[in-house]
């Protein structure tokens, strides 16, 4: 992104005026290079993740399918950059690209520049410049004596090849190697592991692997880009550039700084072997974290014209680095205040919002109890913090001693106030406790949901307004502390009748021991109505800050569990601003989904079996009923046949049977050859109907 904003040849000019420098220092890296310029570098290239969208600063991205196609694109470029610091798989492609371009030198229309961005890990095993004085740093001139870490041999071999290829025809094909310090800035690269642990605030201390006394050369990614710009513009005589900032910080100093500005403020030394237990750290990461090199780049200072973003290093520029880290990853705090009468469901809704957005639920009673417990812990255990770190500097010990004295004084004042007010705390101490909580690192990182506080205009003013009143007098709009002031104010409304009915219907077990008993609830409700009928209310304060509350009438939603209300609030607030689900949470959700799927399948199978059983029983019942009807029909038919056969039977008995019996007897007596013919003839002759 930096190069896409740089004018070609700009680094050959003098550095901008001091006023511009000061202005840029107050802006973020993204803001410094937000204005497009003419004659800038046109950035094209491949993506580390082909499925990703094209970056806004890129002129064009290539999805190459073959080396021949990639070479054709490289031949169109005047400057070719290859970064092998993050992905070792790029080494093979980088060496191939340089070799392929080298073979095409005769066909170059214009001179080409090839820059390999390597890592100081190719120096990791180098012998000290002066064994008798280990504090003397390595410089650019020592590069011929460098020795790589065993796991970074491919890197140093690539460096040597690139430098060799650039010696054939320097006018047409120049090659440079930039040995970059460990990069930070924006996503934080190698140090992201520690930034993430600190931001999540899930551990009491951030781990330091080993003794932490190893020196780690670093450089901000924008400063590294400025080095590349200077190489492209200056084409220096030295073809091996050491790109490190002026800092010489140890691993412990870096992590301690990160912990103080993003995390819990503490560090914990653990054995190097324990680092392998982390899923997020690879062997390459651990090798880089445990490197021990003092380095100083005299060449950058003497030859290049660099407008540094963080020349003094990460520790001296930590506020800016933390801001970049949060902005680049979208880790911005969500600050919500929920306002409403007692019994309206503030705490229930606040808990659901905290679950959804992974925020901290700020309840006044809990904050006061937590503050008292923490103060007592500080007073009782003065050396508790130092135990996990080891020996602390004298400055830290003095600061800790002052903190203990302040904690002792505040604890005494709080206890005295509670004794004088029958267990209640004065507003000034409540404001102090809540303000400290909102300024704590977890609330500054993830955000919070403030549950039912502040209750009055004055409380809101004391809590959120800046302590300096000079500027406030000049301005009609009060100057609030944006670090802790909520972004969203949700006001839950309901009638007294609705609230009283809701409390009456609560189980006795829920009401017991709370302010929801009849007398206390009515007192709380009346007090709330009094505080919110005047001109100066909490909501008026937020309106003055142009933080307009979202009003939600709870009575309109027939939902005891407040699910629809929570959905309405989530719709207003938007998407979460955090790291998303952890691996463990994803596993739990997947397991839960699998279990729900199995339960659903079992229910569907049971339902299918039930339906089949019902259908089978119905068929059997229908079959039995049909058989019963069939038997009845047969019986009725039989009776009908019998009834219809009576006249015929009577006729036969009267007119046919006597003659037939006589014919049979006569047949038996005579015994003719053909009895049937004889009997037929006999009946024909002797039938009474034939005359």
């Amino acid at each position: 992104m930096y190069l896409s904003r740089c004018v070609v040849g700009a680094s050959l000019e003098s550095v901008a005026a001091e006023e511009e420098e000061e202005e840029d220092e107050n802006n973020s890296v993204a803001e410094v290079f937000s204005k497009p310029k003419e004659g800038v570098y046109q950035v094209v290239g491949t993506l580390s993740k082909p499925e990703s969208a094209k970056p806004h600063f890129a002129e064009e991205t290539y999805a190459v399918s073959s080396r021949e196609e990639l070479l054709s694109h490289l031949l169109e470029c005047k400057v070719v950059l290859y970064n092998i610091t993050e992905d070792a798989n790029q080494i093979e492609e980088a060496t191939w690209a340089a070799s392929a371009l080298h073979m095409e030198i005769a066909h170059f229309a214009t001179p080409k520049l090839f820059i390999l961005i390597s890592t100081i890990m190719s120096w990791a095993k180098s012998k000290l410049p002066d064994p008798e004085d280990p504090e003397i740093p390595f410089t650019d001139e020592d590069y011929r004596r460098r020795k790589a870490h065993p796991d970074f041999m491919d890197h140093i071999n690539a460096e040597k090849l690139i430098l060799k290829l650039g010696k054939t025809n320097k006018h047409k094909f120049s090659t440079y190697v930039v040995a970059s310090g460990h990069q930070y800035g924006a996503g934080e690269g190698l140090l992201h592991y520690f930034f993430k642990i600190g931001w999540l605030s899930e551990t009491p201390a951030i781990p330091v692997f080993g003794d932490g006394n190893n020196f780690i050369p670093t450089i901000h990614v924008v400063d590294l880009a400025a080095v590349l710009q200077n190489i492209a513009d200056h084409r220096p005589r030295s073809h091996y550039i050491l790109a490190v900032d002026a800092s010489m910080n140890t691993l412990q100093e870096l992590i301690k700084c990160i912990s103080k500005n993003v995390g819990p403020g503490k560090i914990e030394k653990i054995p190097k072997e324990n680092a392998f237990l982390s899923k997020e750290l690879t062997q390459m990461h651990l090798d880089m974290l445990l490197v021990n090199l003092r380095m100083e780049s005299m060449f950058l200072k003497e030859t290049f014209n660099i407008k540094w973003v963080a020349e003094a290093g990460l520790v001296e520029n930590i506020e800016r680095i933390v801001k970049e880290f949060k902005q680049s990853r979208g880790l911005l705090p969500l600050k919500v205040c929920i306002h409403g009468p007692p019994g309206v469901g503030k705490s229930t809704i606040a808990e659901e919002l905290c679950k959804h957005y992974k925020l901290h639920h700020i309840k006044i009673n809990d904050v006061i109890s937590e503050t008292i417990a923490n103060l007592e812990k500080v007073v009782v255990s003065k050396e508790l913090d130092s135990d996990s770190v080891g020996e602390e500097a004298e400055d830290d010990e003095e600061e800790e001693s002052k903190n203990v004295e302040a904690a002792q004084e505040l604890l005494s004042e709080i206890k005295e106030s509670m004794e004088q007010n029958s267990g209640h705390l004065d507003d000034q101490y409540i404001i102090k406790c809540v303000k400290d909580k909102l300024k704590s690192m977890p609330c500054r990182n993830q955000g919070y949901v403030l549950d039912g506080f502040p209750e009055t205009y004055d409380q809101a003013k004391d809590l959120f307004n800046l302590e300096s009143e000079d500027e406030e007098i000049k301005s009609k709009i009060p100057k609030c502390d944006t670090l802790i002031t909520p972004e969203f104010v949700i006001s839950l409304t309901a009638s007294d009748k609705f609230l009283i009915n809701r409390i009456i219907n609560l189980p006795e077990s829920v009401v017991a021991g709370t302010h929801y008993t009849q007398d206390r609830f009515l007192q709380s409700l009346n007090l709330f109505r009094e505080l919110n009928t005047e001109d100066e209310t909490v909501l008026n304060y937020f309106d003055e800050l142009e933080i307009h509350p979202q009003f939600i009438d709870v009575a309109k939603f027939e939902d005891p569990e407040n699910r629809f209300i929570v959905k309405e609030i989530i719709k207003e607030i938007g998407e979460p601003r955090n790291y998303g689900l952890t691996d463990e949470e994803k596993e739990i959700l997947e397991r839960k989904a699998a279990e729900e799927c199995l339960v659903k399948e079992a229910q569907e199978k049971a339902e299918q079996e039930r339906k089949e059983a019902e259908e089978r029983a119905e068929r059997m019942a229908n079959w039995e009923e049909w058989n019963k009807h069939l038997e009845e029909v047969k019986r009725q038919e039989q009776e009908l046949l019998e009834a219809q056969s009576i006249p015929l039977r009577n006729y036969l008995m009267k007119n046919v049977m006597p003659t037939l019996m006589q014919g049979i007897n006569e047949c038996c007596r005579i015994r003719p050859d053909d009895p049937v013919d004889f009997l037929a003839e006999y009946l024909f002759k002797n039938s009474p109907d034939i005359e």
Side-chain angles (χ1 to χ4, degrees):
M1 183 179 76
Y2 176 89
L3 291 174
S4 68
R5 301 288 178 180
C6 292
V7 177
V8 178
S11 67
L12 298 174
E13 302 172 2
S14 60
V15 182
E18 291 182 5
E19 292 181 1
E20 289 187 12
E21 287 184 9
E22 291 177 2
E23 182 181 349
D24 287 344
E25 284 176 5
N26 295 326
N27 297 328
S28 67
V29 173
E31 291 169 338
V32 171
F33 308 110
S34 60
K35 297 179 181 178
K37 300 176 182 178
E38 295 181 1
V40 297
Y41 287 97
Q42 293 183 341
V43 179
V44 298
T46 58
L47 296 172
S48 57
K49 296 179 180 178
E51 67 278 4
S52 303
K54 182 176 79 100
H56 64 88
F57 58 82
E59 189 78 16
E60 188 178 357
T61 57
Y62 304 134
V64 294
S65 57
S66 65
R67 288 283 172 89
E68 291 76 13
E69 184 182 354
L70 178 57
L71 179 59
S72 67
H73 290 306
L74 293 175
L75 289 169
E76 295 173 0
C77 301
K78 292 182 179 180
V79 180
V80 178
L81 297 174
Y82 260 95
N83 182 7
I84 61 172
T85 62
E86 297 176 354
D87 184 6
N89 295 324
Q90 283 289 299
I91 297 175
E92 193 272 332
E93 184 180 309
T95 53
W96 166 84
S99 301
L101 288 171
H102 182 262
M103 294 175 66
E104 297 290 333
I105 288 179
H107 303 103
F108 284 177
T110 56
K112 297 193 183 301
L113 179 66
F114 188 99
I115 304 175
L116 181 73
I117 307 171
S118 188
T119 169
I120 50 91
M121 292 304 292
S122 61
W123 294 61
K125 296 299 180 182
S126 303
K127 292 181 180 180
L128 295 174
D130 186 352
E132 296 180 0
D133 188 357
E135 293 187 4
I136 294 179
F138 290 100
T139 64
D140 309 76
E141 297 176 354
D142 299 318
Y143 83 93
R144 291 183 177 85
R145 300 189 296 107
R146 70 192 188 284
K147 288 189 177 181
H149 186 284
D151 292 339
F152 288 80
M153 293 304 297
D154 290 341
H155 290 73
I156 195 169
N157 291 334
E159 292 177 8
K160 291 177 179 178
L161 175 62
I162 299 304
L163 292 176
K164 180 181 177 182
L165 294 174
K167 294 178 181 179
T168 306
N169 190 339
K170 294 181 181 180
H171 298 291
K172 281 198 170 185
F173 188 56
S174 300
T175 60
Y176 289 87
V177 171
V178 177
S180 165
H182 295 347
Q183 299 160 26
Y184 64 89
E188 304 323 314
L190 175 67
L191 299 174
H192 172 249
Y193 170 77
F194 303 103
F195 275 88
K196 183 177 181 180
I197 289 179
W199 188 88
L200 291 174
S201 306
E202 294 176 351
T203 56
I206 296 183
V208 176
F209 306 128
D211 59 16
N213 294 326
N214 54 305
F215 288 87
I216 298 183
T218 57
I219 188 168
H220 193 286
V221 289
V222 175
D223 292 330
L224 176 59
V227 172
L228 302 177
Q229 177 200 7
N230 274 264
I231 293 173
D233 288 346
H234 288 259
R235 307 290 173 104
R237 289 185 178 182
S238 176
H239 289 260
Y240 194 98
I241 312 294
L242 192 59
V244 295
D245 55 35
S247 69
M248 287 193 188
N249 297 124
T250 62
L251 177 63
Q252 178 174 319
E253 289 170 346
L254 291 172
I255 297 177
K256 189 174 182 180
C257 179
I258 293 169
S259 182
K260 281 187 175 181
N261 290 274
V262 186
K266 301 176 184 177
I267 59 175
E268 179 184 13
K269 292 182 179 179
I270 64 172
K272 297 176 183 178
E273 296 75 19
N274 290 15
F276 293 98
L277 300 176
S278 173
K279 296 179 181 178
E280 296 187 34
L281 290 175
T282 64
Q283 181 65 53
M284 180 179 175
H285 290 143
L286 296 177
D287 292 338
M288 295 173 77
L289 288 171
L290 298 175
V291 71
N292 185 19
L293 290 170
R294 289 175 181 263
M295 307 189 92
E296 183 178 7
S297 180
M298 302 301 297
F299 193 82
L300 298 188
K301 296 178 182 178
E302 297 171 357
T303 308
F304 285 171
N305 181 11
I306 297 176
K307 192 174 182 180
W308 289 88
V309 168
E311 183 177 9
L314 181 143
V315 174
E316 295 297 323
N317 296 277
I318 188 62
E319 290 185 9
R320 180 178 199 152
I321 305 306
V322 169
K323 184 179 178 182
E324 289 175 14
F325 160 68
K326 292 181 178 180
Q327 287 180 343
S328 66
R329 292 186 176 270
L331 302 174
L332 304 177
L334 267 175
K335 296 168 288 186
V336 183
C337 178
I338 297 186
H339 171 268
V344 79
K346 297 187 295 295
S347 296
T348 307
I349 291 170
E351 286 177 7
E352 291 300 318
L353 290 175
C354 288
K355 286 180 184 177
H356 181 78
Y357 288 106
K358 295 185 178 180
L359 306 177
H360 302 279
H361 190 176
I362 309 299
K363 295 186 282 189
I364 300 307
N365 291 336
D366 292 350
V367 170
I368 294 171
S369 301
E370 182 185 340
T371 301
I372 294 173
N374 289 338
L375 291 173
E376 290 175 343
K377 187 176 179 181
V378 170
V379 172
V380 173
S381 306
K382 294 182 180 180
E383 298 179 358
L384 185 63
D385 293 345
S386 61
D387 290 345
S388 61
V389 178
E391 295 183 1
E392 294 287 336
E394 291 182 4
D395 293 342
D396 291 343
E397 290 179 359
E398 290 178 7
E399 185 180 348
E400 185 180 349
S401 178
K402 291 179 182 178
N403 290 340
V404 171
E405 292 176 5
Q408 177 68 62
E409 184 179 350
L410 181 59
L411 182 61
S412 301
E413 291 176 359
I414 288 175
K415 288 184 175 180
E416 184 180 349
S417 174
M418 294 182 77
E419 287 175 5
Q420 293 176 355
N421 294 285
S422 304
H424 295 286
L425 200 58
D426 284 344
D427 272 5
Q428 61 172 329
Y429 296 111
I430 296 176
I431 297 295
K432 166 72 174 167
C433 294
V434 175
K435 185 176 287 190
D436 289 344
K437 180 67 176 178
L438 298 184
K439 287 186 175 181
S440 67
M441 203 57 71
C443 288
R444 286 169 59 182
N445 286 342
Q446 289 91 30
Y448 61 79
V449 177
L450 198 50
D451 186 351
F453 190 85
E455 297 176 342
T456 66
Y457 183 93
D458 289 336
Q459 285 179 342
K461 187 177 177 181
D462 293 339
L463 179 59
F464 299 120
N465 277 16
L466 290 169
E467 295 179 3
S468 174
E469 297 181 358
D470 296 338
E471 295 181 5
E472 186 179 336
I473 295 172
K474 299 177 184 178
S475 174
K476 294 181 180 179
I477 300 176
K479 298 290 183 181
C480 64
D481 187 349
T482 55
L483 185 68
I484 62 173
T485 304
E487 297 174 76
F488 302 95
V489 177
I490 312 298
S491 181
L492 305 175
T493 62
S495 64
D496 290 359
K497 182 179 179 182
F498 175 85
L499 295 171
I500 292 169
N501 288 334
R502 172 180 274 192
I503 298 303
I504 289 173
N505 292 324
L506 286 175
E508 186 65 29
S509 58
V510 175
V511 175
T514 68
H515 63 277
Y516 288 148
T517 54
Q518 185 173 355
D519 294 337
R520 292 185 64 188
F521 175 74
L522 291 176
Q523 288 177 3
S524 300
L525 184 58
N526 290 333
L527 178 61
F528 177 84
R529 296 304 183 197
E530 289 175 11
L531 294 174
N532 286 274
T533 52
E534 301 175 1
D535 292 335
E536 290 190 344
T537 67
V538 179
L539 299 182
N540 293 143
Y541 174 82
F542 288 120
D543 275 328
E544 290 173 6
L545 295 178
E546 296 186 356
I547 305 172
H548 303 297
Q550 178 190 8
F551 292 93
I552 297 178
D553 188 353
V554 176
K556 288 183 179 179
F557 297 88
E558 296 180 3
D559 179 20
E561 297 180 2
N562 300 313
R563 287 173 297 183
F564 295 117
I565 297 174
V566 171
K567 285 183 179 179
E568 196 73 17
I569 296 173
I570 289 173
K571 185 179 177 182
E572 171 72 14
I573 294 175
E575 293 295 320
R577 307 172 187 170
N578 51 42
Y579 272 104
L581 299 175
T582 62
D583 292 338
E584 290 78 10
E585 289 171 333
K586 287 178 182 177
E587 188 177 339
I588 291 170
L589 284 178
E590 288 173 0
R591 186 163 59 247
K592 187 177 179 181
E595 289 173 357
E596 289 176 353
C597 185
L598 289 173
V599 170
K600 187 177 180 181
E601 288 178 358
Q603 289 175 344
E604 290 177 352
K605 186 177 180 181
E607 181 68 15
Q608 184 68 23
E609 290 176 353
R610 185 187 64 79
K611 287 182 178 180
E612 289 178 356
E614 288 180 356
E615 290 174 358
R616 190 161 50 247
E618 187 177 356
R619 282 197 303 271
M620 291 297 293
N622 292 339
W623 177 257
E624 290 178 2
E625 188 176 355
W626 185 81
N627 282 334
K628 196 182 291 182
H629 287 173
L630 183 61
E631 291 295 328
E632 180 66 20
V633 169
K634 286 182 178 179
R635 186 186 63 76
Q636 291 177 0
E637 286 182 349
Q638 185 64 29
E639 289 177 355
L640 182 60
L641 287 172
E642 289 178 358
Q644 290 176 346
S645 65
I646 289 174
L648 180 60
R649 189 180 300 124
N650 291 336
Y651 173 80
L652 291 174
M653 292 298 294
K654 181 180 178 182
N655 298 303
V656 177
M657 289 306 294
T659 306
L660 181 61
M661 291 300 294
Q662 290 176 4
I664 291 172
N665 290 333
E666 190 66 23
C667 182
C668 291
R669 186 178 63 80
I670 296 174
R671 296 180 183 273
D673 295 334
D674 188 353
V676 176
D677 186 58
F678 173 81
L679 187 59
E681 185 68 25
Y682 182 86
L683 289 173
F684 183 75
K685 288 181 179 181
N686 295 289
S687 173
D689 294 337
I690 298 174
E691 295 179 356

